[in-house]
């Protein structure tokens, strides 16, 4: 049974879902008023199905991609992150998703765009493919988000310490608690994932609620487009 946790927020707000990738799949935090549920699944589709009725899904994964250029949304938000700016790296361009090996994709990227493809970006390709396929068929709105931007908004300034340091982790947990998301000591099966992945998913649930309530920020400025590729956008 998925654990639940009573929170200080009794608003009864519409349910939302924050999602972060893990080594073996995905972890999600569903936030509905005074209730917090955690889920894990091997695929994004399975995770959203487990979460049930939600109005917004916020996921830490690139969705909209450019055909050859750097994404304007990445360049716009990176300076906001201050000391955490290096945590946001550029995703591959669309064409790189067609290749099965890093060597092929990197060679194609250098020839086509004049830039190589980082191994960090290549490691995300399977999940980027999965997210994009899910978004194409989803009946619930899915938004690209980034946890460090969520924490920046909670704190009012960029965080000083990386999330995998003790101070960085403790700071993020405290910020979540201050904003109504207190993760349980034993979150059930989701407790088997990396602690920072679960904390990031909770931060994205906070941003998902902001999106649902119409108070979220985004870059470029919040203009809805017909498809994510028309204007890749990061929300928080």
């Amino acid at each position: 049974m998925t654990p639940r946790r009573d929170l200080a927020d009794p608003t009864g707000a519409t349910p939302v879902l924050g999602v972060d990738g893990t080594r073996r799949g995905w972890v999600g935090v569903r936030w509905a008023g005074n209730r917090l549920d955690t889920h894990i699944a091997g695929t994004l589709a399975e995770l959203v199905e487990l979460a049930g009725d939600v109005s917004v899904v916020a996921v830490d994964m690139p969705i909209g991609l450019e055909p050859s250029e750097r994404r304007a949304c990445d360049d716009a938000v990176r300076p906001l992150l201050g000391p955490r700016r290096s945590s946001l790296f550029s995703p591959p361009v669309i064409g790189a998703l067609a290749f099965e090996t890093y060597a092929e994709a990197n060679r194609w990227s250098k020839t086509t765009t004049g830039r190589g493809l980082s191994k960090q970006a290549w490691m995300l390709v399977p999940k980027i493919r999965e997210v994009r396929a899910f978004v194409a068929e989803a009946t619930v709105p899915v938004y690209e988000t980034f946890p460090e931007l969520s924490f920046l908004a909670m704190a009012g300034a960029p965080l000083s310490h990386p999330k995998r340091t003790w101070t960085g982790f403790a700071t993020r947990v405290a910020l979540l608690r201050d904003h109504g998301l207190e993760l349980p000591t034993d979150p059930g099966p989701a407790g088997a994932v990396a602690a920072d992945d679960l904390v990031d998913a909770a931060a994205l649930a906070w941003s998902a609620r902001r999106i649902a309530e119409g108070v979220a920020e985004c870059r470029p400025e919040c203009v809805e487009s017909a498809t994510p590729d028309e204007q890749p956008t990061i929300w928080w």
Side-chain angles (χ1 to χ4, degrees):
M1 179 180 295
T2 302
R4 69 179 61 178
R5 176 86 172 189
D6 288 334
L7 301 176
D9 177 13
T11 61
T14 184
V16 295
L17 181 67
V19 179
D20 195 33
T22 71
R23 290 191 178 188
R24 295 186 179 182
W26 303 87
V27 60
V29 171
R30 184 182 189 270
W31 192 21
N34 63 347
R35 176 173 171 172
L36 193 69
D37 298 318
T38 60
H39 304 276
I40 57 170
T43 69
L44 181 58
E46 291 170 342
L47 183 72
V48 175
E49 184 176 358
L50 278 174
D53 179 42
V54 294
S55 63
V56 169
V57 175
V59 60
D60 178 18
M61 195 60 58
I63 299 176
L65 301 177
E66 296 285 1
S68 59
E69 302 85 7
R70 291 163 57 97
R71 299 198 314 172
C73 58
D74 296 320
D75 291 338
V77 304
R78 197 172 281 114
L80 303 178
L81 294 169
R84 304 274 65 77
R85 65 173 62 86
S86 63
S87 62
L88 180 67
F89 52 89
S90 298
V93 297
I94 293 175
L97 272 59
F99 297 92
E100 295 303 318
T101 70
Y102 171 71
E104 292 173 316
N106 188 41
R107 184 165 53 248
W108 175 87
S109 183
K110 287 180 179 179
T111 301
T112 306
T113 71
R115 302 186 308 277
L117 178 66
S118 74
K119 289 191 175 180
Q120 285 177 312
W122 175 251
M123 293 297 290
L124 293 180
V125 163
K127 278 189 164 55
I128 293 175
R129 290 174 180 149
E130 183 181 352
V131 169
R132 286 169 60 85
F134 178 80
V135 168
E137 303 292 335
T139 57
V140 59
V142 182
Y143 292 81
E144 177 181 342
T145 50
F146 188 61
E148 290 303 308
L149 288 166
S150 303
F151 287 119
L152 179 154
M154 290 183 202
L159 300 190
S160 300
H161 298 276
K163 63 183 180 180
R164 291 189 175 90
T165 64
W166 173 252
T167 300
F169 181 77
T171 299
R172 286 160 176 78
V173 171
L175 283 168
L176 289 172
R177 185 181 300 116
D178 289 345
H179 286 82
L181 293 102
E182 184 172 357
L183 288 164
T185 303
D186 180 7
V193 304
D196 60 303
D197 289 339
L198 186 57
V199 165
D200 281 350
L204 298 189
W206 183 79
S207 287
R209 177 169 290 184
R210 281 161 53 89
I211 293 169
E213 294 177 347
V215 297
E217 297 179 63
C218 75
R219 296 292 186 277
E221 293 302 323
C222 304
V223 177
E224 297 284 355
S225 56
T227 64
D229 289 332
E230 287 185 17
Q231 181 175 280
T233 306
I234 300 176
W235 298 72
W236 67 95

